[in-house]
Amino acid sequence: MSGGGGGGGGSAPSRFADYFVICGLDTETGLEPDELSALCQYIQASKARDGASPFISSTTEGENFEQTPLRRTFKSKVLARYPENVEWNPFDQDAVGMLCMPKGLAFKTQADPREPQFHAFIITREDGSRTFGFALTFYEEVTSKQICSAMQTLYHMHNAEYDVLHAPPADGRDQSSMEDGEDTPVTKLQRFNSYDISRDTLYVSKCICLITPMSFMKACRSVLEQLHQAVTSPQPPPLPLESYIYNVLYEVPLPPPGRSLKFSGVYGPIICQRPSTNELPLFDFPVKEVFELLGVENVFQLFTCALLEFQILLYSQHYQRLMTVAETITALMFPFQWQHVYVPILPASLLHFLDAPVPYLMGLHSNGLDDRSKLELPQELEVREDPSSNKDLKVQCDEEELRIYQLNIQIREVFANRFTQMFADYEVFVIQPSQDKESWFTNREQMQNFDKASFLSDQPEPYLPFLSRFLETQMFASFIDNKIMCHDDDDKDPVLRVFDSRVDKIRLLNVRTPTLRTSMYQKCTTVDEAEKAIELRLAKIDHIAVHPHLLDMKIGQGKYEPGFFPKLQSDVLSTGPASNKWTKRNAPAQWRRKDRQKQHTEHLRLDNDQREKYIQEARTMGSTIRQPKLSNLSPSVIAQTNWKFVEGLLKECRNKTKRMLVEKMGREAVELGHGEVNITGVEENTLIASLCDLLERIWSHGLQVKQGKSALWSHLLHYQDNRQRKLTSGSLSMSGILLDSERRKSDASSLMPPLRISLIQDMRHIQNIGEIKTDVGKARAWVRLSMEKKLLSRHLKQLLSDHELTKKLYKRYAFLRCDDEKEQFLYHLLSFNAVDYFCFTNVFTTILIPYHILIVPSKKLGGSMFTANPWICISGELGETQILQIPRNVLEMTFECQNLGKLTTVQIGHDNSGLYAKWLVEYVMVRNEITGHTYKFPCGRWLGKGMDDGSLERILVGELLTSQPEVDERPCRTPPLQQSPSVIRRLVTISPNNKPKLNTGQIQESIGEAVNGIVKHFHKPEKERGSLTLLLCGECGLVSALEQAFQHGFKSPRLFKNVFIWDFLEKAQTYYETLEQNEVVSEENWHTRARNFCRFVTAINNTPRNIGKDGKFQMLVCLGARDHLLHHWIALLADCPITAHMYEDVALIKDHTLVNSLIRVLQTLQEFNITLETSLVKGIDI
């Protein structure tokens, strides 16, 4: 990051500038074409080849004849540098030469604008350290007659070549268009790009540059501009230029951290200030300019790309803009640092760097033809015009400069605050290596240094797409590596030290006044303090450097010629003052001593009375802190001493549980009068993460010895060890065994016994998850699992029932040993059992989970004779399994696969092999073996050719079964999530005549309720929505309701033959297809609807799946709902002549009033975007 300074070898730099450099035209070597730069310009010009003249030369080597000699690039050279070399920053001639004048020398005539241009640049050394350069480029008249003659000769050659290349074709084809196309460029060349030695004055670019260890951009710019002004002004400067350059190089020191410095330029004072070690690092580029150039949206897109380490190429005709944008983006990353190729100004000769197959941040200079020069400040950017602090504070710089300083720090503080809030807990997820530093460094590539899964489980959902990718970047890995390698503060990287101090402040604040983690924006509170620090430094200058003075120069040296930068006297500039070595090494130490003395006197400049008073206060404070040795006091004194802290923890627990319940119950809770509307809408992830924080604080209170980063997990591990020891020694009491193996009652069939309740088993599940690496992460995962299983209060009660262990681990005054408060705390946690959490299943989405399947066939109707090979496929919100082959006659099996989330559907079928390939399945049950969630998928249908509707596979929709609460938890009985569906959805014989007959009123009501359920689903906040598949295909879903509507008044031709709705739909399809072939079409809309209907029926009939006629009807309804076509199809079928043949006169579909009413109800689904689960439409591509 800019602001890092620091040289390579030798002692640390303490001078303001290391080198003064002059670059330009070397008249002795003459004009040397810069071939690589020329090639770069040619490539840029040829980008617009399609729109260019067809006569552009196709050669890519040598000259680009489209460029006139004035526009070509020539090699620049470092003409002089002072001093020759410094030990701590060896001079890199090639790099400085290229970056001072990245496109080489530029020539102009008196007709061209010749404004001086300033730009900064960076040189990155092999060890990653950086040196900063600041260059001012201006134009001087060429006095060498040889150079002017050479330019004239180049022009003659160019004009001759141009005439040959642009000569009209021999056959005279397309003469007019050629003339039109070429007149303009030729006249332009004559007007702007020509040079006549007798008429024109030739100018060439020259550059003066400062190389510095730190990026004081404004100060360096001011130094260079004043030097240039001295050269161009009619009056000579007060002293020779050597005096000012000598002063900057040898007599102006770097300001120490937290201090400001004033030194003298040629015409006025120059001020620079350096942030202290607890402020954001030095940054001197105007952030406002970046927002003005790019706009807020583009800045954030660019910033995101940089954080995710994309290849980034900036493009501008201004070198300084490239530098400002690149430096701003990397500075806003605090505390992270760009780790890859960083070349904000890419010299033309290094264009091949762009092919690097690594992330980079580079800046490329454009030719200016396509650059947008007029850029307005976007409306979204709020610029605080008015400085917020003391109006009477007299600042030593102008108002504009102060405003830039203030806006810079405001924006940087806001960005830094965002990262501090997002990564406030990062330290507990750092995986500390077990081996020594050297061996860790050797095996760094194979080591994991951060518990990513646990960290992400705490984050608000909107953060996850970004954070999951950001945690994989090199900059984040380097940040964590820095943390691991720097144990103590003295070792710490300065950036890390500043960030950690900010994190500590936030965490301290959260302990005192616990705030909810939230994805909402947390206001930055450090802006005013940071602004004030800058204003104070600018108001009261801490150090003033030695003024420039006459040097020991020979008579006649330091001659002054207006308009030309003089040839400086190297003998006076090549070495500093004799005492320089002492000054260089000891000046900062001297200042540090002064600072310490100053602070000491500020704090201790007290009279004897005040000093005595302070000492007395300190003594009494010390005695109160040391006094209570709580383990020896009576319970009443303990209670009194800890009352406030314990009460605070308890109150926080009460508020947090209420807040989480209100949030989970959503608007329903607000309607019941619990809480306010505006407190809902906080991320469930962050609520649970803040509960985990609270549990950690409770478990940390009154610890005898802190072990590891998680007090809760440490306690659990001790408990696990105790149990293990007792089991091996056989001393575990019988009651303990009963407690640990108790089964949770469930309304699931007794065929699938419920999982046993076991704290130890839940711990083992967490210990087996490889993705979780830290103790803090394991404790949080265990809390999430316990909450999902509704066992958190019970598990913690069991953990604390081991009184011997609690006494061993905790002091007498600890919260966990205050019985009343502990009971209340467990009671508050018990209230979580009133709602259903999926906080484990939804967070650890990539872990492997064992699932147990139970298939229950009908015992009455030959289930044991079944000869085919069955299969099953299970789908959930997070994915689905492959087809699982079930061994014949095995009805129960366990398999392992990646977390499926909440289960939604089961596809079950068989291969129709053997003599008796008919299978009547009553229901299927699937249980998650970690969370214990059991789902029931009712079927009650045959699978077999010639049976029922001939289906060989069925899609079953499931519901979660709710567990019956235990006796001691009855006050908080859980209301069932949804009522379990009946075992058999239809009667076994499935004859339409045997189905319960509903009247039209009941059918209308069931359709209304089904549609209303879907409408309600979409009006709920996304996180409160249930399963849409259940609303479409479940017991009382839309498919079932429409099935009843179509079965009303359906004629059955013979007693023993079943006719299905799908038979009717197929006949209707045949009718409409015949009608279309005969082209008997009444209106366009009707024609489109009929064609759509036929297309969908045909596609469903052509599916390779054996889903039976009712399965096909279900698929048609789902697709119709998805594409908002159901109401059109109902209207179409009501008018179809086939309906008259197949339905009785009393049928609902023949009653126009009822059909219109049905169409209006189904039209309400049009406004919703219905997304179907994959299992419902597998094999269909419409």
Side-chain angles (χ1 to χ4, degrees), residues 87 186 190 195 200 244 268 305 361 438 723 982 1074 1089 1117:
E87 57 179 316
V186 170
Q190 287 167 352
Y195 170 66
D200 296 319
Y244 300 104
C305 290
L361 177 49
E438 277 182 24
R723 295 297 289 249
S982 55
T1074 314
R1089 289 171 191 177
V1117 172

Side-chain angles (χ1 to χ4, degrees), residues 10 435 491 523 591 910 1120:
Q435 65 269 61
D491 271 358
K523 195 175 177 187
W591 282 357
H910 63 78

Side-chain angles (χ1 to χ4, degrees), residues 901-953:
K902 294 180 200 170
L903 302 188
T904 49
T905 59
V906 157
Q907 299 155 66
I908 187 168
H910 63 78
D911 64 355
N912 199 36
S913 62
L915 295 172
Y916 193 81
K918 299 164 188 174
W919 198 23
L920 177 60
V921 177
E922 289 194 9
Y923 58 86
V924 176
M925 293 182 75
V926 183
R927 183 176 67 204
N928 179 322
E929 293 291 274
I930 291 180
T931 65
H933 287 319
T934 306
Y935 296 82
K936 187 173 183 180
F937 299 86
C939 179
R941 303 287 299 266
W942 282 98
L943 287 96
K945 291 284 183 192
M947 299 295 291
D948 199 340
D949 63 347
S951 170
L952 290 183
E953 66 174 274

Side-chain angles (χ1 to χ4, degrees), residues 44-64:
Q44 281 188 335
S46 64
K47 280 195 299 183
R49 180 73 56 85
D50 295 342
S53 162
F55 302 104
I56 287 178
S57 168
S58 62
T59 178
T60 59
E61 53 200 42
E63 302 247 2
N64 172 10

Side-chain angles (χ1 to χ4, degrees), residues 263-335:
F263 63 97
S264 302
V266 182
Y267 295 111
I270 296 166
I271 292 164
C272 60
Q273 54 93 25
R274 182 174 171 186
S276 68
T277 49
N278 58 358
E279 292 177 65
L280 292 179
L282 173 65
F283 179 74
D284 218 16
F285 291 83
V287 177
K288 176 186 175 186
E289 190 180 318
V290 177
F291 282 90
E292 285 176 339
L293 287 168
L294 300 177
V296 175
E297 282 297 320
N298 286 335
V299 168
F300 281 105
Q301 280 196 18
L302 177 59
F303 186 62
T304 308
C305 290
L307 286 173
L308 298 179
E309 300 184 335
F310 285 27
Q311 288 185 330
I312 297 169
L313 181 63
L314 305 171
Y315 193 59
S316 171
Q317 73 182 103
H318 301 280
Y319 291 121
Q320 183 60 8
R321 282 185 186 176
L322 292 172
M323 191 69 187
T324 301
V325 172
E327 281 289 276
T328 299
I329 291 300
T330 51
L332 292 178
M333 287 175 179
F334 172 90

Side-chain angles (χ1 to χ4, degrees), residues 455-742:
F455 177 78
L456 290 173
S457 73
D458 275 6
Q459 302 310 310
E461 213 167 303
Y463 291 7
L464 297 180
F466 167 75
L467 280 176
S468 55
R469 293 177 65 184
F470 180 67
L471 298 190
E472 301 299 328
T473 59
Q474 187 62 45
M475 73 175 76
F476 185 76
S478 300
F479 172 74
I480 298 298
D481 284 352
N482 268 353
K483 180 70 184 170
I484 289 171
M485 289 165 67
C486 310
H487 286 297
D488 48 351
D489 268 5
D490 298 337
D491 271 358
K492 260 189 199 171
D493 172 60
V495 171
L496 187 62
R497 193 183 302 128
V498 175
F499 183 69
D500 279 353
S501 69
R502 287 167 174 245
V503 162
D504 291 343
K505 273 184 194 169
I506 281 188
R507 290 170 70 178
L508 196 64
L509 188 71
N510 281 357
V511 169
R512 285 180 187 157
T513 53
T515 54
L516 262 174
R517 293 156 180 266
T518 171
S519 55
M520 290 165 65
Y521 177 72
Q522 301 282 311
K523 195 175 177 187
C524 178
T525 55
T526 51
V527 172
D528 292 340
E529 188 186 330
E531 278 185 49
K532 202 163 283 179
I534 289 173
E535 284 170 24
L536 285 170
R537 281 198 291 274
L538 293 173
K540 186 185 173 196
I541 302 300
D542 297 298
H543 305 286
I544 297 173
V546 176
H547 283 275
H549 49 85
L550 272 172
L551 302 172
D552 186 15
M553 292 167 69
K554 292 170 189 169
I555 295 168
Q557 285 186 339
K559 279 193 296 183
Y560 171 76
E561 190 178 349
F564 293 92
F565 200 88
K567 189 173 181 184
L568 300 172
Q569 303 307 311
S570 56
D571 52 342
V572 293
L573 290 177
S574 56
T575 54
S579 62
N580 184 49
K581 200 167 185 180
W582 183 89
T583 314
K584 181 187 75 191
R585 289 173 189 269
N586 298 332
Q590 212 179 359
W591 282 357
R592 275 201 295 274
R593 271 201 300 281
K594 276 187 188 169
D595 288 346
R596 274 203 294 273
Q597 285 165 358
K598 184 178 167 187
Q599 287 167 359
H600 190 67
T601 50
E602 277 172 8
H603 291 301
L604 298 180
R605 196 182 290 141
L606 310 165
D607 57 32
N608 288 339
D609 293 345
Q610 281 178 307
R611 192 180 288 118
E612 192 57 44
K613 182 181 160 198
Y614 281 170
I615 290 168
Q616 192 57 44
E617 272 182 23
R619 276 183 190 146
T620 54
M621 196 181 285
S623 64
T624 52
I625 289 168
R626 287 191 300 269
Q627 192 185 4
K629 190 152 187 186
L630 293 165
S631 53
N632 300 335
L633 297 176
S634 65
S636 60
V637 178
I638 293 167
Q640 198 173 354
T641 311
N642 281 284
W643 182 81
K644 274 191 179 173
F645 190 80
V646 170
E647 276 296 302
L649 284 176
L650 192 59
K651 185 180 176 185
E652 192 185 335
C653 177
R654 185 168 63 247
N655 291 342
K656 210 171 282 295
T657 48
K658 182 183 176 184
R659 175 70 186 263
M660 289 174 73
L661 288 171
V662 168
E663 175 59 29
K664 190 68 183 169
M665 293 166 76
R667 281 173 295 187
E668 185 186 341
V670 176
E671 284 157 19
L672 293 170
H674 302 291
E676 301 161 13
V677 181
N678 62 355
I679 72 162
T680 61
V682 181
E683 280 290 333
E684 182 175 294
N685 263 7
T686 54
L687 285 165
I688 289 169
S690 67
L691 173 72
C692 293
D693 290 342
L694 172 65
L695 293 177
E696 286 293 356
R697 288 218 309 284
I698 287 172
W699 256 258
S700 298
H701 182 239
L703 263 177
Q704 297 274 12
V705 180
K706 185 164 185 190
Q707 298 171 339
K709 286 190 177 173
S710 169
L712 174 57
W713 189 249
S714 176
H715 194 166
L716 284 164
L717 288 174
H718 278 105
Y719 178 81
Q720 190 181 30
D721 290 347
N722 273 10
R723 295 297 289 249
Q724 203 62 44
R725 270 201 305 277
K726 286 177 183 173
L727 276 172
T728 43
S729 64
S731 64
L732 195 62
S733 67
M734 201 55 205
S735 61
I737 293 169
L738 284 172
L739 183 71
D740 211 38
S741 61
E742 191 175 337

Side-chain angles (χ1 to χ4, degrees), residues 193-221:
N193 295 348
S194 62
Y195 170 66
D196 185 337
I197 194 166
S198 60
R199 186 186 66 214
D200 296 319
T201 309
L202 190 63
Y203 293 87
V204 67
S205 57
K206 189 176 234 180
C207 174
I208 53 175
C209 167
L210 280 174
I211 306 291
T212 66
M214 296 191 79
S215 179
F216 291 107
M217 191 268 292
K218 294 189 190 75
C220 291
R221 182 172 192 158

